[in-house]
Amino acid sequence: MKPSASQTWPLKAPDWILNGPEWLSDLGYDFYKSFVFDNRYQMYIKGLGNTLLLTLLALLIGVALGVVISLIRVSWDKNHTEMQGPGRFFLGFFNALAKIYLTVIRGTPAVVQLMIMYFVIFASSRNKVMVAALSFGINSGAYVAEIIRGGIMSIDEGQMEAGRSLGFGYVATMRYIILPQAFKAVLPTLANEFIVLLKETAVAGYVGLTDVTYAGNIIGGNCYDYLFPLLMSALIYLILVMFFTFLVGKLERRLRSSER
Amino acid sequence: MSADIIQAINLEKHFNGGDIKALNGVNASVKKGEVVVVIGPSGSGKSTFLRCLNLLEVPTGGQVLFEGVDITDKRADINLHRQKMGMVFQHFNLFPHMTILKNMTLAPVKLLGKSQAEAEAKAKALLERVGLSDRANAYPSQLSGGQKQRIAIVRALCMDPEVMLFDEPTSALDPEMVGEVLEVMKELAKEGMTMVVVTHEMGFAREMADRVIFMAEGKIVEEGAPEKIFSAPEQARTREFLAKVL
Ligand SMILES: Nc1ncnc2c1ncn2[C@@H]1O[C@H](COP(=O)(O)OP(=O)(O)O)[C@@H](O)[C@H]1O
Ligand SMILES: [Mg+2]
């Protein structure tokens, strides 16, 4: 099944690996070429760094975008019946834009958005991480917007009324009173979005970005053997997801115990 | 009349495109320093009337003059006028993510341009007066209903309002906590605060009101001094209501 290691391949494993029983030396050799030879382990580390950076940047962009989009949607829904003049026109215009954005982004695959972004819109850019972060951020923003909108709508109407009755405008009441509470309410859900995003960035290899998946893919190709490289990619994701899930659980418990 | 701090002229509020007529031509005025208590059966439009006074509900017809200015006019800066009209809600509506002190200082700092220290000094003085100094750094969830409502009152007072509007401030409270809130309101009235109070506390109305307004079906049926309303009401509708609640 496995080619006899020492002859078939140009790379040479150390003797202590080749001298054991056959199955062990085969396995050892696979391991060796998947991780050690040519310092290949560094590629997984690079992939890990890129995956984390990409996910983090995308989430930041997604949250910023999500806040703006959700605010447009909520203010339109709450206020448009009582508005008039240019204010109503602009808010209506942005609300329509927001709806188109939500429809398009949620109606098309993230990987297609990524490829359009990299090969068409930013065809001249070499910065794969930034372009991918932007693309995933724009994608995530659509989902974050709906999460935050849900959070805002979960806040009792009396909070807005109390803010307005003190003399705060709509925007100031949102900023000081509604949004902080809405954020707290959806923090665990947002943290889960980070975990979802972490796995969704696995298609970054489509534009040649060396993330965890693409690192496994490249090394597998170089080794003519995908077993260990892809298992390693999977393992890295699993550990990350388990770790972040653990953190989210802690966060939820913390929030619940401070619940008022 | 210049002595009127609030004047409602022919106020009308319809909901759902006219299906629900919550207010049907309400005319009322409040003089400076006056305590006006609004009573009436549930659904008669008391809350709607009160909330129209600071435009939390935008009336579908009529005008509200505050200090002589028509605040229903589109050009009026309602946020500025609201700073001078404190409001207390049935369900307190304290900000749960802020300490009591922050609840009280947020608006004065952000809207009146006070320094944090200045705003805190005033807040602490007010807390002292309602006997809640020790709760300054607590969160609303750590307070009882009566304490929350007292905080809600002093939070509004931190803005130095000209008028205080109360919408059933004791209706959500356990009976044993009603007294402590009414006590604060009485003190406020004695100090000369202009107050419009929607309440079912007839004792408070009798004792503190300069004028009682009885509403039914979106209209003012009868108004007058508490002695007159409670002892010799003119309208059958008023007598019927009072017979039920007294
Ligand atoms: N936001 C609203 N939408 C529709 N109907 C409302 C709304 N607010 C109040 N109403 C209706 O208006 C009428 C007067 O209500 P309200 O002013 O709350 O009465 P009260 O405070 O005297 O109990 C009621 O029939 C109520 O159902
Ligand atoms: Mg009411």
Side-chain angles (χ1 to χ4, degrees), chain B residues 37-203:
Chain B
V37 172
V38 182
I39 60 173
S42 166
S44 58
K46 304 181 300 294
S47 296
T48 307
F49 167 66
L50 196 72
R51 291 155 58 83
C52 277
L53 296 183
N54 68 351
L55 255 61
L56 274 191
E57 293 303 347
V58 181
T60 43
Q63 290 168 300
V64 178
L65 306 191
F66 176 59
E67 296 181 319
V69 180
D70 180 5
I71 58 173
T72 49
D73 188 317
K74 298 280 173 295
R75 285 160 297 183
D77 185 349
I78 185 61
N79 295 333
L80 226 48
H81 294 296
R82 282 196 186 123
Q83 292 179 12
K84 296 192 248 168
M85 310 168 104
M87 189 168 214
V88 176
F89 302 86
Q90 185 175 348
H91 295 287
F92 330 127
N93 298 347
L94 295 180
F95 307 134
H97 59 306
M98 296 176 186
T99 62
I100 299 311
L101 208 53
K102 195 76 207 285
N103 261 276
M104 296 174 70
T105 55
L106 184 73
V109 169
K110 303 286 180 199
L111 298 175
L112 303 180
K114 287 192 181 186
S115 71
Q116 185 64 31
E118 225 181 323
E120 278 184 17
K122 178 164 179 84
K124 283 176 177 162
L126 281 164
L127 281 176
E128 177 90 45
R129 276 181 38 194
V130 294
L132 290 171
S133 298
D134 54 330
R135 309 319 309 268
N137 294 313
Y139 282 89
S141 64
Q142 298 166 310
L143 305 184
S144 71
Q147 291 176 328
K148 281 183 201 167
Q149 197 60 301
R150 283 186 277 160
I151 296 296
I153 293 171
V154 287
R155 177 177 71 179
L157 290 178
C158 281
M159 291 294 284
D160 280 320
E162 297 292 327
V163 186
M164 287 285 285
L165 310 174
F166 296 82
D167 191 0
E168 300 200 27
T170 57
S171 295
L173 296 177
D174 292 336
E176 75 268 23
M177 294 174 181
V178 170
E180 64 193 60
V181 171
L182 289 181
E183 207 46 54
V184 172
M185 292 170 62
K186 283 178 192 172
E187 270 193 33
L188 205 53
K190 280 179 197 151
E191 285 163 20
M193 175 61 76
T194 312
M195 296 162 66
V196 184
V197 185
V198 174
T199 186
H200 293 295
E201 293 293 328
M202 296 303 152

